Amino acid sequence: MSTPRGRDRIGGGRAVALIDGNSFYCSCERVFDPKLAAVPVIVLSNNDGCAIARTSEAKALGIKMGDPYFKIRDLCRVQGVRVFSSNYTLYGDMSGRTNAVYRQFSPQVEIYSIDESFLNLTDVAPALRIELARDLRATVRAWTGIPTCVGIGPTKTLAKLANHIAKTVPDLGGVCDLTDPEAYAHWLCRISVAEVWGIGRASLAKLEAMGVESVADLRDLDPRPVRKGLTVVGERIIHELRGLACLPLELVPARRKGCAVTRSFSARIEDRATLEEAVAAHATRLGEKLRREGLGTDHVTVFYHTSEHDRGAPMRSVSTTVCLPEHSSDTLALIKAARHGVAKTWREPGERPWRYSKAGIVTNDLVPLSHSPRALIGALGPGCGGAGASRAGEPAGLEHQVRDAHAALHDAGGRATGGARRGRAPSGVTTAWGGKQPVWFRERHPLNQSPGRDWMRRRQPNSKLPDMKFD
């Protein structure tokens, strides 16, 4: 193994701090109930399925991350564990408050997750970084009530590792600085390689076979052979552990590419009305998320299914895609599309009804509404949120409502490549061009009044396009 060259200051003066909330969801609940300060607390996932956040007191009782609640219910009752259902609206608001505090200490902040953020501290003098980190922790605690830990390193990977050390070593007071050469040399040989950011179970097994036990062992490996076993990710980790930054701060969040709103029902449902109410609520939430980021979608996928845990009960899983004629984020258009997805896939129950356990609405390929393509003819009416909304009346994205729009829905559940949909065409539509992707022409389509109309007749001699008179 090769040994890295000595450095006066690890990373050449760069400094990145990772600050995260301790048991963030539980800490948010404690902020609004001070009586929980010394009480074990856990927060459960959607519909109270399993434990997703635990305080240190709850961890000491043996409650593990992901434990199903029905298995630990008796333990929680006997030990006096306070159990909370998840409240993501509250957690998101508290995350915004903590990040507002972070920006008071550094103008460059990358929001990594709901409870973690990276801060650029390169401009802070090395001797003042620990003092600033402690001041940051105290300010966040005083202004928001959330306890935090801060890890400082020349790279993101080392900052993550420093944050882990700050959490697990109480004597450090919640702050660890791995830009200091002495701390860097002291801790890397004492921390297991399993704690390195990006090392999972499969990678850990390969490293153990190579005799790697500590973080220092991994750092000292030759990155070229490591790349063969751990891919470029493993090579990048080694460089980051040596102080060479490979992961820059992402100060501008990446644009959302997809969005999903799904929920399990608190009780099994069997009627269509309740299911339509659920998907309408999901569509409303989806519209809120899209408008917040200025995005739009031209299709939504609606799904609902029974539970695999209902032994002996009839099973059914349904998923269908409903297209809008243009990108939109309007709640009314999304609700109509979602309800239409339920309407065209619903089956009336027989003697043994389907008992649905979950429903949701999913979309992808999101685009900014300001840059989205407009419909050739305004397909969405005023108030329907489309990029080219100009026609009054109902949105034309639903198959049974298509009258004057240039596009229509299919009964097929999937999307054909290239944007064309395959399936049964509504009345008044003809597949005038043969080919892999049929182009539909409606009676009032502008091409019916263009020179291309003669070409189409030559292409399809048996197709007769009516003469149209426009008002």
Side-chain angles (χ1 to χ4, degrees), residues 59-71:
K59 295 176 183 178
L61 296 175
I63 299 176
K64 299 180 180 179
M65 177 67 74
D67 277 350
Y69 180 54
F70 73 89
K71 290 185 177 181

Side-chain angles (χ1 to χ4, degrees), residues 1 33 44 67 71 83 104-105 126 174 231 266 277 347 355 378 405 413:
M1 296 184 181
D33 190 354
L44 303 178
D67 277 350
K71 290 185 177 181
V83 181
Q104 300 292 322
F105 288 78
T231 72
S266 57
E277 290 179 5
R347 291 183 184 177
R355 304 175 68 246

Side-chain angles (χ1 to χ4, degrees), residues 116-405:
E116 292 179 290
S117 294
F118 288 101
L119 284 68
N120 187 356
L121 300 183
T122 302
D123 294 336
V124 179
L128 301 178
R129 288 170 185 166
I130 291 182
E131 181 181 352
L132 180 139
R134 290 173 178 168
D135 188 20
L136 174 58
R137 293 185 68 240
T139 304
V140 172
R141 187 62 182 266
W143 291 9
T144 67
I146 302 296
T148 58
C149 284
V150 182
I152 305 174
T155 65
K156 283 185 172 182
T157 301
L158 286 173
K160 267 275 197 180
L161 188 64
N163 185 273
H164 166 74
I165 298 171
K167 281 185 176 181
T168 55
V169 182
D171 293 341
L172 295 177
V175 177
C176 179
D177 182 9
L178 289 183
T179 63
D180 177 49
E182 293 183 2
Y184 177 83
H186 175 81
W187 289 112
L188 261 63
C189 61
R190 289 170 170 79
I191 303 299
S192 170
V193 70
E195 303 299 337
V196 176
W197 186 31
I199 299 298
R201 294 182 179 178
S203 299
L204 181 61
K206 295 178 181 179
L207 291 174
E208 289 177 345
M210 299 168 62
V212 176
E213 297 180 355
S214 67
V215 178
D217 294 337
L218 176 60
R219 176 202 61 191
D220 296 338
L221 288 178
D222 186 345
R224 288 171 295 181
V226 170
R227 180 168 184 166
K228 296 180 179 179
L230 302 182
T231 72
V232 68
V233 176
E235 182 180 13
R236 185 184 300 126
I237 290 174
I238 292 178
H239 288 308
E240 287 253 325
L241 291 176
R242 294 180 178 181
L244 178 62
C246 301
L247 302 172
L249 286 180
E250 298 178 3
L251 303 179
V252 178
R255 194 185 74 199
R256 183 193 293 266
K257 297 181 180 180
C259 189
V261 181
T262 66
R263 293 290 186 275
S264 296
F265 301 120
S266 57
R268 302 293 188 260
I269 67 169
E270 302 175 2
D271 61 295
R272 173 176 166 179
T274 304
L275 182 60
E276 288 185 341
E277 290 179 5
V279 297
H282 298 341
T284 301
R285 179 60 178 157
L286 175 65
E288 293 175 357
K289 292 184 176 182
L290 296 182
R291 289 192 297 273
R292 185 184 303 123
E293 301 185 26
L295 301 175
T297 182
D298 63 349
H299 69 280
V300 292
T301 298
V302 181
F303 75 89
Y304 53 96
H305 58 74
T306 56
S307 174
E308 60 181 5
H309 302 292
D310 292 343
R311 305 296 182 184
M315 298 292 172
R316 186 170 186 241
S317 179
V318 178
S319 176
T320 184
T321 299
V322 181
C323 284
L324 299 171
E326 62 186 8
H327 290 83
S328 175
S329 62
D330 184 80
T331 298
L332 295 179
L334 296 175
I335 287 178
K336 288 179 181 293
R339 295 185 63 184
H340 177 69
V342 174
K344 73 175 187 178
T345 57
W346 178 261
R347 291 183 184 177
E348 292 299 329
E351 295 181 359
R352 300 181 63 196
W354 292 289
R355 304 175 68 246
Y356 297 107
S357 62
K358 187 175 183 178
I361 181 170
V362 183
T363 186
N364 50 30
D365 298 330
L366 302 177
V367 300
L369 281 178
S370 57
H371 297 83
S372 62
R374 292 190 172 192
L376 184 60
I377 301 177
L380 295 178
C384 291
S390 61
R391 185 180 299 275
E394 299 293 337
L398 308 183
E399 187 172 344
H400 63 288
Q401 294 178 327
V402 173
R403 291 295 182 267
D404 297 319

